Amino acid sequence: MPVDSAAYRNAISRFLTGVTIVTTVADEKPSGLTATAIASVTLEPPTLLACLNRHSTTCQAIVQAGRFTVNVLASDQTDIAKLFASREMDKFQQLAVLGHGIETGSFGTPHLRGALASIDCAVSATTDIGTHRIFFGEVQQVQCAEGSPLGYFRGAFVDRPGV
Ligand SMILES: Cc1cc2nc3c(=O)[nH]c(=O)nc-3n(C[C@H](O)[C@H](O)[C@H](O)COP(=O)(O)O)c2cc1C
């Protein structure tokens, strides 16, 4: 018998993760959500996975677009993580109100200015587990910057992981 979801959540919340914003664009409309369920899968071919709730707007947009970008947040971007975890109708407009910028690169998906990395992926496979869809993304382009990461541990953002 599996453990109940509360017990599992309590245990897995002790696994420190980074924080990302997964973005895409479908029908010329950008969408994005805060995601910690991201993992590197293999270097050959360069592939990561993103695990998204099938009911999220962003999941449905990625199905349509066949591409997405994983933006790895920096320690001073907690406000962006909170915004993209909300059901705010126009997160990208709100981003400008908060004083943050986005860029659209040659891949077409939104890149968050100030992120530690923006990793552009083409969907190479998917699989559904319970409420979620796992997108395997073959990495097409990367953009990197220096800085310290934002973390997530036991239900809270941590801007100095390990300290
Ligand atoms: C720290 C944190 C991590 C999250 N990680 C994920 C995740 O990995 N996958 C997911 O589908 N939702 C995740 N969420 C929830 C989504 O960000 C949230 O449901 C969002 O409102 C969905 O937006 P959308 O419907 O506009 O796409 C996370 C939320 C928080 C606060």
Side-chain angles (χ1 to χ4, degrees):
M1 283 284 283
V3 295
D4 67 43
S5 57
Y8 171 57
R9 180 196 287 252
N10 187 29
I12 200 64
S13 73
R14 288 162 164 77
F15 179 55
L16 170 72
T17 65
V19 183
T20 74
I21 307 297
V22 176
T23 58
T24 193
V25 63
D27 289 336
E28 295 175 23
K29 187 180 178 324
S31 53
L33 55 60
T34 301
T36 52
I38 303 291
S40 179
V41 175
T42 176
L43 294 179
E44 295 290 341
T47 302
L48 56 70
L49 69 77
C51 186
L52 267 59
N53 189 305
R54 285 205 301 280
H55 292 302
S56 66
T57 311
T58 307
C59 179
Q60 289 159 25
I62 293 173
V63 168
Q64 206 177 322
R67 59 177 55 200
F68 62 92
T69 293
V70 175
N71 295 275
V72 180
L73 293 188
S75 55
D76 59 355
Q77 294 182 316
T78 303
D79 55 347
I80 299 181
K82 289 180 178 166
L83 171 64
F84 279 84
S86 75
R87 300 294 289 185
E88 168 74 43
M89 286 307 288
D90 198 338
K91 297 175 184 177
F92 290 89
Q93 207 172 344
Q94 262 321 106
L95 201 56
V97 173
L98 291 175
H100 295 288
I102 54 163
E103 284 159 18
T104 306
S106 57
F107 198 63
T109 51
H111 287 189
L112 298 181
R113 220 170 272 156
L116 295 188
S118 294
I119 304 171
D120 295 332
C121 302
V123 175
S124 56
T126 63
T127 189
D128 288 352
I129 303 283
T131 53
H132 280 59
R133 175 159 299 181
I134 300 173
F135 293 96
F136 293 90
E138 185 171 304
V139 179
Q140 308 294 305
Q141 296 179 45
V142 294
Q143 199 178 320
C144 300
E146 299 308 316
S148 55
L150 183 63
Y152 194 68
F153 181 69
R154 296 194 71 182
F157 294 104
V158 280
D159 58 12
R160 299 180 72 198
V163 177

